[in-house]
Amino acid sequence: MSDMSRIKTFNLPDLGEGLTEGEILAWLVKVGDTIELNQPIVEVETAKAAVEIPAKWAGQVQAIHHPEGTTVEVGTPIIAIDTDPGAGPLETPSTTATPTGDLPTPSAASLAAVELAPAEGMIEPGLIGGAAPGGRTAVLVGYGPRTTAAKRRPRKGAVPTQAEAPVAPAPVTPAPVTPQPVGNGNGGPVTGGLVLAKPPVRKLAKDLGVDLSTLTGSGPLGSITREDVQRAVNSPVVVAEPLAATTAPSFGADREQRIPVKGVRKLTAENMSRSAFTAPHVTEFLTVDVTRAMKALDRLRGRREWREVRVSPLLLVAKAVLLAVRRHPMVNSTWAGDEIVVKEYVNLGIAAATERGLIVPNVKDAGRLSLRELADALTDLVQTAKSGRTSPAAMSGGTLTITNVGVFGVDTGTPILPPGESAILAFGAVREMPWVHKGKVKVRQVTTLGLSFDHRIIDGELGSKFLRDVGDFLADPEAALLAWT
C-alpha cells in the first residue's frame, strides 16, 4: 500500500444540531498509539455537551494537529492515522529547521500522502452509531470539509513549543515498556482506564443503568463486583453540583477572577436570556402532603420485580406530570408566532447540574412508557449526565421539563422555561413537617411544587388545574391512577 493511501486525515465531524465548532478537551490517544476502529480518540466540548469522538479507521496515530484547549471548526483536520502501519516505515519528509526554531516544512510527497475524510453524504457504512470499545456508542453525524483555520484559546502561562506542531514523526521502533501499576484507592492496580468486570457483572450494570466507569472496584486488581453495582443502585441519586460552586476561586492581583463564558454555560445563558425576555412567565406554587406517595415508593421497592430498580420520588413526580398532561394537553405545546403547536408526544426533560453547567436531557416519548420503563429511562439519563456523556441529541426536542431542586435541600423556585416549551415544574425537598391530617396536627412528609408557564399559551385556570392534578397524584397515587386511567 502506498503512503498516499495509508495516511488518512480525520476532520472534526459535524456533531449535529447546527454546531459549527468544538473545543478539544482531551486527547485520549497520543502519537505512536495503535488504535482500533471506533475507539474513542478525543473528547470535544460543544455548546451542548462534551462528546467522545471515535476513530473512523484502525491504525497508528501519526500526528495530532491541535493541542488540548484549541477551539476547532467543523471540517478542520485534527489527527492523521496510518491505516497500514505493518507495511513498513513511511517515507521520511525532508525538513529544514531555521536557526530561529521555525517548524520543519513538509515535502510535497508527504503532503500528497494525506487523504482527507469523506465529504458529507459519503460516510462509510457500519461506523455511525456502531458500538465502540467499552460499550460506548459512536456519535459521529457527518463530515463537512472546511479549510478555515482553528482558533486556540490561550492557556495561562502556556508557551508555544515546537512539540505542539502537527508534524508526523519519523518512524521509530518503540522499546518494550513494563507498565507500572497505579493504585485504585483500594490497594489494587488499575488498568489504564479499562474497567475490570466479569460479563455477568457488566450485564447486571447494563440492566440497572449503572455506568461501570464511575465505580471504584472492591474485587481483585480493582475489578467491579456485583456488590459494587448493587451498592451504586442503592445509593441516592444526586446530580453533581456545578464545578464553579465547588472549586476554590483563583484570584489575581486585582482580587478578581475572570471565567470565560463558553460551551454549555454560554448556550445556557443565551437560552435563558431569550426565554426570560420572550415568554411572559407566570409561576404558581402548591404545597402537598406526599406521605402516601413515599409509602407507595417503599412498597414498590419491596416488590421482587422492582428490587433491582432505582426508585426515587422523581419517578412519581414524572408519572404525575405525564398523567396530568393527558388531562390538559395544551400544557405540552409550543408558541410558534401565528399558531400554537400542541404535541401528542411528551419528551420529558430533566434539568441536571453538571461540572460544565446546566443541561436538560429528555426522555423521548415518555408518555408511552410503563412505570418500570420510565424508571429505567430516568436512571440512564441521570447516570449519563453525571458521567458527562450526554449527547446533543439527548438534549434536543424537549417538550416539558422537571427540575429537581429538592436534591440541593431547596423547597422550591421560579424556574425559567427552556426555549420552545410552555411549562416547567420545580420539585422541592421532601421534609417532615407538622400538617393537619384528619383533624389533627401530625408529622407528615411534605413538599412544595413550583410551576412556571408561558402565559401566552397557558392561562391561570389551565396552569392551576394542571398543578392541582400533579399535586393530587402525589398526595394519593393509587386513588389518582384508579380515577384517571
Side-chain angles (χ1 to χ4, degrees), residues 97-168:
T98 66
T100 58
D102 291 341
L103 299 178
T105 303
S107 66
S110 66
L111 290 176
V114 174
E115 179 180 332
L116 294 178
E120 183 102 22
M122 298 176 62
I123 302 170
E124 296 179 12
L127 297 182
I128 308 309
R136 289 167 288 197
T137 301
V139 296
L140 275 66
V141 176
Y143 303 84
R146 188 174 298 185
T147 58
T148 51
K151 300 176 292 183
R152 180 173 181 185
R153 172 176 59 85
R155 286 181 283 180
K156 185 175 181 181
V159 179
T161 65
Q162 195 167 347
E164 294 176 335
V167 179

Side-chain angles (χ1 to χ4, degrees), residues 10 36 80 94 117 138 156 167 195 212 227 250 256 261 274 310 381 386 419 445-446 470 479:
F10 184 87
E36 300 176 1
S94 57
K156 185 175 181 181
V167 179
V195 177
L212 290 177
E227 290 71 22
S250 176
E256 295 179 349
V261 179
R274 183 169 70 252
R310 188 189 294 271
L381 180 147
K386 287 172 65 176
Q445 292 180 288
V446 177
V470 173

Side-chain angles (χ1 to χ4, degrees), residues 294-311:
M294 297 302 102
K295 291 180 178 179
L297 283 180
D298 290 338
R299 292 196 298 273
L300 192 61
R301 293 187 186 103
R303 295 185 65 87
R304 179 168 44 188
E305 62 270 30
W306 279 80
R307 287 175 185 171
E308 295 183 348
V309 181
R310 188 189 294 271
V311 178

Side-chain angles (χ1 to χ4, degrees), residues 252-266:
D254 58 357
R255 301 174 67 188
E256 295 179 349
Q257 181 185 23
R258 300 183 183 277
I259 302 173
V261 179
K262 59 178 182 176
V264 174
R265 191 170 298 279
K266 181 177 181 180

Side-chain angles (χ1 to χ4, degrees), residues 237-256:
V237 179
V238 179
V239 182
E241 295 186 19
L243 183 63
T246 58
T247 302
S250 176
F251 296 110
D254 58 357
R255 301 174 67 188
E256 295 179 349

Side-chain angles (χ1 to χ4, degrees), residues 25 39 51 57 62 73 179 183 194 210 315 337 363 376 381 389-391 411 423 430 432 443 450 461 464 479:
L25 292 179
Q39 175 182 336
V51 180
W57 307 282
Q62 288 298 305
E73 295 193 9
L194 296 177
V210 175
L315 174 62
V363 178
D376 292 340
L381 180 147
R389 296 184 293 107
T390 303
S391 67
D411 290 327
V430 177
E432 289 190 341
V443 175
E461 179 184 10
S464 300

Side-chain angles (χ1 to χ4, degrees), residues 19-314:
L19 301 175
T20 60
E21 64 181 18
E23 180 185 352
I24 296 176
L25 292 179
W27 281 104
L28 308 180
V29 296
K30 61 183 182 297
V31 172
D33 282 358
T34 299
I35 59 176
E36 300 176 1
L37 175 68
N38 281 342
Q39 175 182 336
I41 56 175
V42 63
E43 184 179 16
V44 175
E45 182 180 37
T46 69
K48 291 200 171 186
V51 180
E52 288 184 353
I53 299 178
K56 186 171 173 57
W57 307 282
Q60 186 179 60
V61 177
Q62 288 298 305
I64 291 176
H65 296 307
H66 303 287
E68 296 174 0
T70 303
T71 298
V72 181
E73 295 193 9
V74 169
T76 301
I78 59 174
I79 189 172
I81 300 172
D82 180 358
T83 58
D84 190 14
L90 294 167
E91 177 186 351
T92 304
S94 57
T95 58
T96 303
T98 66
T100 58
D102 291 341
L103 299 178
T105 303
S107 66
S110 66
L111 290 176
V114 174
E115 179 180 332
L116 294 178
E120 183 102 22
M122 298 176 62
I123 302 170
E124 296 179 12
L127 297 182
I128 308 309
R136 289 167 288 197
T137 301
V139 296
L140 275 66
V141 176
Y143 303 84
R146 188 174 298 185
T147 58
T148 51
K151 300 176 292 183
R152 180 173 181 185
R153 172 176 59 85
R155 286 181 283 180
K156 185 175 181 181
V159 179
T161 65
Q162 195 167 347
E164 294 176 335
V167 179
V172 295
T173 303
V177 178
T178 302
Q180 299 297 322
V182 181
N184 70 347
N186 290 330
V190 296
T191 55
L194 296 177
V195 177
L196 293 179
K198 294 181 180 179
V201 177
R202 292 182 181 275
K203 183 179 185 304
L204 175 63
K206 181 178 179 181
D207 293 342
L208 299 182
V210 175
D211 181 6
L212 290 177
S213 64
T214 64
L215 304 185
T216 300
S218 61
L221 298 177
S223 60
I224 307 296
T225 66
R226 293 180 64 90
E227 290 71 22
D228 296 328
V229 176
Q230 293 288 0
R231 191 159 43 246
V233 170
N234 295 329
S235 63
V237 179
V238 179
V239 182
E241 295 186 19
L243 183 63
T246 58
T247 302
S250 176
F251 296 110
D254 58 357
R255 301 174 67 188
E256 295 179 349
Q257 181 185 23
R258 300 183 183 277
I259 302 173
V261 179
K262 59 178 182 176
V264 174
R265 191 170 298 279
K266 181 177 181 180
L267 182 67
T268 300
E270 293 172 351
N271 286 343
M272 294 298 96
S273 296
R274 183 169 70 252
S275 178
F277 293 102
T278 300
H281 284 55
V282 172
T283 305
E284 293 185 337
F285 305 97
L286 179 66
T287 303
V288 184
D289 176 2
V290 295
T291 305
R292 288 184 177 178
M294 297 302 102
K295 291 180 178 179
L297 283 180
D298 290 338
R299 292 196 298 273
L300 192 61
R301 293 187 186 103
R303 295 185 65 87
R304 179 168 44 188
E305 62 270 30
W306 279 80
R307 287 175 185 171
E308 295 183 348
V309 181
R310 188 189 294 271
V311 178
S312 71
L314 180 62

